[in-house]
Amino acid sequence: MPRTEVTQMAVLVRSKAATLVDDLPAELRGVDPMTTGQAAQALGVSSVNTIKNWIRAGYIKEHITTPGGQTRIPSREILRVRALERGLQEMPVVDELTSDELDDLSH
């Protein structure tokens, strides 16, 4: 694929990724990782139990369990799930963005 096409595709996908970040509630932009409560708010579900069920079912694939037993979800995983929920399918660039690039998108 010619470089210009790759560049145009990257710009389009990054634009869609930026929209996913822009649609987050302002208080959640730049939060990484998120608590289950923050993840529920970001994903528009009313219960942290939904988030925990999605983790058990494998819908939310990436998560961290703290030494104290609390669950945290990286913001890139929240963006991946938001993309799926919106019917955008997998957005490879979201998984490939560095944390600095995600920070740039969220500010």
Side-chain angles (χ1 to χ4, degrees), residues 4-15:
T4 55
E5 287 181 38
V6 171
T7 302
Q8 290 171 343
M9 189 181 310
V11 168
L12 175 64
V13 175
R14 286 180 193 274
S15 171

Side-chain angles (χ1 to χ4, degrees), residues 1-84:
M1 185 178 302
R3 183 178 172 92
T4 55
E5 287 181 38
V6 171
T7 302
Q8 290 171 343
M9 189 181 310
V11 168
L12 175 64
V13 175
R14 286 180 193 274
S15 171
K16 288 183 179 185
T19 299
L20 292 172
V21 172
D22 290 344
D23 289 346
L24 283 173
E27 66 272 14
L28 295 180
R29 292 183 200 147
V31 174
D32 190 34
M34 292 186 186
T35 65
T36 52
Q38 291 168 326
Q41 183 181 359
L43 295 171
V45 297
S46 59
S47 171
V48 297
N49 290 327
T50 300
I51 299 300
K52 292 176 183 179
N53 288 336
W54 285 358
I55 290 169
R56 279 191 288 276
Y59 186 57
I60 293 177
K61 297 175 182 176
E62 189 178 350
H63 65 282
I64 303 156
T65 302
T66 67
Q70 297 178 339
T71 302
R72 300 286 187 265
I73 300 129
S75 59
R76 68 179 166 269
E77 180 66 1
I78 299 299
L79 294 177
R80 186 191 69 79
V81 173
R82 285 173 63 89
L84 290 173

